[in-house]
Amino acid sequence: MMRRQATLLLLLFCLAAHPARGEEPRDENEDLELIPQAVRNAPQEAPSTEERAAPGGRAFLENALTGWVKRKGLAVPVPDRVGSWQNRTSADMDYSWQIAPQLRLGLSDRLSLFEGNVIDFPSAGTLRNDFREGVISWEFAPRSYLEAGRINLKSGTALGYNPTDYFKARTTVNLASIDPSALRENRLGTVMVLAQKIWDNGSATVAFAPKLQNSSPLARTPASLDPLLGQTNSENRLFASASYSIAELSPQLLLFHDDIGTHIGVNVSRVLSSGIVGYLEWSGVREESLTERAIGFGQETRALPPGIPVVPQGARGKGFKNDVAVGASWTGISKLTVNLEYHYHQAGLNGREFDRWITLGKRSSALSSELWYLRQYAADQQEPFMQHQIFLRFDYPDAIPSRLNTSGVLFISPYDGSSLTQLAAQYFISREWTVGAYVGGTFGGRNTVMGSLPWRVSGVLQVVRYL
């Protein structure tokens, strides 16, 4: 039940707090913090030898109390019991150690205790351990690395949706924030072997992630200490990328092969002015529509019965599909950063298909479980449910110097103007204590993309004690 609750939360937020901060900002770093996020995420900026050698980490205790106000009169009824509150208490650690001159060990883990009105106590959903990373890294030659273990391998320069972030599917953990960039930093890693070479103006990476378990179904409650390899390592995958800085661009080429096929990807970013950076992500592959993949996955994991009709998308069979994220970031002298992005997900639903999703759900309550399964699957894969989406994000650290950080995200559906938003504030009481608040909402009629979600308002009160 806890897993269903988590998935419904992802639905509410279209995907899925701000990265916890272990120390207060230092005035001498102000100039560095003016660098736009997209530049900091540029693919060629692999960590240097000195950065890799630096010891460090963080550990903290966190309590996050979340409440939701349900939306009445849903167009497509939700088949499961919908929660109204949940409390999560977590012990979190993320450390790395230099265990030999050329050898480094990294561990990242979170143990959480859950209570809520739809979580049975005690049950398998009461306690959950998220083993995010466990990696050993060997620098076998200058700036040449071989790594093995559970690794969070990230790609892409956008913030709201990353088409080239090929290891993102089925990796989410419970967070107070719905900001996709926070999800990217705190997700489950994938068991793999990785080799990387870094030059002055570029880098090359090759990785292989083996199949270790069969796919686990959606909406199940795993054992508390389940490492969830059935989510992160349910197929063999091969990844390769190369980047090189040239003509003030930062291009990166990517190849990725999984059970769907061979994906080709490109990342490009460019500084347009002292405060503006433009960036583009593209990925293409021959694949089925989102609906066909969801139904196929449901039948493979026996979550859906054989022979179930494919609704509501009309296109059948494989075809070449494009995924694009294009945007720009602007950073002002006050450290305020604003990102505006457009996302295109060709395998998702168009407006006519979404209208059919609504119509079928109204006509037949028996189909509601299958219809919501499509949205659960999209959220689990961290793919947009719809073909088109607009994303706006702001980040204002030090709104009160050394005391208050604020941020916010907004997802807009261009089909009907409905939206999903969350505003966040973190107040640093001291170097050890932080209090955070997150307020979110969905806006739109009951037949709209965001207005059809089961929640109208959400709020999170978060307390963090750094150790």
Side-chain angles (χ1 to χ4, degrees):
M1 182 60 69
M2 191 273 290
R3 296 289 297 164
R4 291 190 175 193
Q5 176 78 355
T7 305
L8 285 174
L9 288 176
L10 291 173
L11 293 176
L12 169 62
F13 299 135
C14 293
L15 309 164
H18 194 85
R21 192 170 74 167
E23 58 183 12
E24 297 175 357
R26 295 168 295 184
D27 292 341
E28 59 266 31
N29 287 334
E30 285 182 349
D31 291 341
L32 293 176
E33 292 176 5
L34 290 175
I35 299 173
Q37 186 80 32
V39 173
R40 283 181 265 164
N41 291 343
Q44 81 282 3
E45 292 188 352
S48 66
T49 302
E50 293 74 16
E51 289 171 334
R52 286 174 178 267
R58 66 180 187 185
F60 59 89
L61 302 175
E62 176 190 10
N63 193 82
L65 175 62
T66 305
W68 299 275
V69 177
K70 303 174 190 175
R71 185 180 293 274
K72 297 180 180 178
L74 287 174
V76 181
V78 177
D80 299 313
R81 195 157 53 114
V82 178
S84 59
W85 70 274
Q86 174 185 283
N87 189 74
R88 173 176 56 82
T89 305
S90 302
D92 195 298
M93 63 87 68
D94 186 352
Y95 274 96
S96 63
W97 298 268
Q98 195 78 41
I99 56 178
Q102 308 301 328
L103 212 57
R104 191 173 187 83
L105 174 67
L107 289 175
S108 180
D109 191 86
R110 168 181 285 188
L111 181 65
S112 299
L113 178 68
F114 293 89
E115 310 92 34
N117 66 319
V118 295
I119 301 173
D120 297 329
F121 183 88
S123 69
T126 303
L127 190 68
R128 172 173 170 175
N129 186 71
D130 291 313
F131 176 45
R132 291 177 302 224
E133 286 193 282
V135 54
I136 188 162
S137 177
W138 174 39
E139 185 176 8
F140 59 92
R143 308 181 79 180
S144 301
Y145 304 91
L146 183 63
E147 298 184 343
R150 190 166 214 176
I151 302 171
N152 183 4
L153 178 57
K154 298 165 285 190
S155 303
T157 56
L159 296 183
Y161 172 54
N162 295 108
T164 65
D165 192 10
Y166 296 117
F167 289 96
K168 64 180 180 295
R170 313 208 69 192
T171 60
T172 55
V173 300
N174 288 82
L175 294 177
S177 173
I178 69 169
D179 187 340
S181 59
L183 293 172
R184 209 161 90 122
E185 298 300 321
N186 291 278
R187 68 193 186 190
L188 297 175
T190 301
V191 177
M192 66 176 66
V193 177
L194 180 151
Q196 184 178 51
K197 174 65 180 177
I198 300 171
W199 297 276
D200 288 340
N201 294 318
S203 65
T205 302
V206 177
F208 173 69
K211 176 180 179 178
L212 299 177
Q213 285 187 5
N214 292 327
S215 293
S216 56
L218 301 181
R220 76 179 179 97
T221 301
S224 299
L225 302 181
D226 188 338
L228 302 178
L229 297 177
Q231 294 184 188
T232 63
N233 286 85
S234 60
E235 58 183 314
N236 293 317
R237 289 175 286 180
L238 184 62
F239 171 88
S241 71
S243 63
Y244 189 79
S245 295
I246 184 171
E248 299 185 356
L249 294 173
S250 302
Q252 182 185 37
L253 301 177
L254 306 98
L255 283 175
F256 179 73
H257 184 80
D258 60 5
D259 285 352
I260 292 177
T262 300
H263 308 244
I264 305 171
V266 175
N267 289 311
V268 180
S269 62
R270 190 178 193 280
V271 177
L272 304 176
S273 71
S274 59
I276 299 177
V277 176
Y279 47 89
L280 169 71
E281 274 191 68
W282 169 83
S283 180
V285 65
R286 274 184 56 81
E287 64 177 350
E288 297 174 316
S289 68
L290 175 66
T291 296
E292 287 179 297
R293 284 190 285 121
I295 298 300
F297 179 82
Q299 293 173 341
E300 176 192 342
T301 56
R302 301 183 179 181
L304 295 176
I308 195 167
V310 178
V311 293
Q313 286 184 278
R316 303 293 176 88
K318 279 192 171 184
F320 194 85
K321 305 286 196 305
N322 295 282
D323 279 82
V324 178
V326 57
S329 69
W330 169 83
T331 301
I333 195 168
S334 62
K335 300 184 184 178
L336 172 66
T337 299
V338 179
N339 292 76
L340 177 63
E341 298 177 0
Y342 163 73
H343 305 151
Y344 176 61
H345 180 47
Q346 191 173 0
L349 278 66
N350 58 34
R352 179 176 51 80
E353 291 163 344
F354 178 75
D355 290 341
R356 191 166 176 235
W357 186 88
I358 291 286
T359 303
L360 288 171
K362 287 180 177 177
R363 288 178 180 173
S364 173
S365 59
L367 279 177
S368 64
S369 179
E370 180 191 344
L371 294 171
W372 276 108
Y373 189 85
L374 303 183
R375 298 188 83 156
Q376 286 181 312
Y377 177 82
D380 191 60
Q381 297 293 310
Q382 297 194 54
E383 297 178 17
F385 183 57
M386 303 296 293
Q387 284 186 350
H388 304 279
Q389 180 174 266
I390 295 171
F391 174 74
L392 181 64
R393 178 183 187 271
F394 81 90
D395 185 24
Y396 190 16
D398 290 338
I400 299 176
S402 301
R403 288 296 179 189
L404 180 66
N405 287 355
T406 60
S407 61
V409 293
L410 175 68
F411 298 88
I412 302 173
S413 171
Y415 296 102
D416 48 34
S418 62
S419 62
L420 162 71
T421 187
Q422 186 187 60
L423 302 175
Q426 289 181 301
Y427 187 77
F428 302 93
I429 298 172
S430 66
R431 297 182 68 89
E432 290 80 25
W433 289 93
T434 299
V435 177
Y438 302 79
V439 179
T442 56
F443 302 91
R446 62 195 294 265
N447 294 333
T448 62
V449 174
M450 301 301 182
S452 59
L453 292 169
W455 311 99
R456 187 162 53 85
V457 178
S458 70
V460 183
L461 178 61
Q462 177 195 53
V463 179
V464 178
R465 171 66 164 89
Y466 295 99
L467 304 176

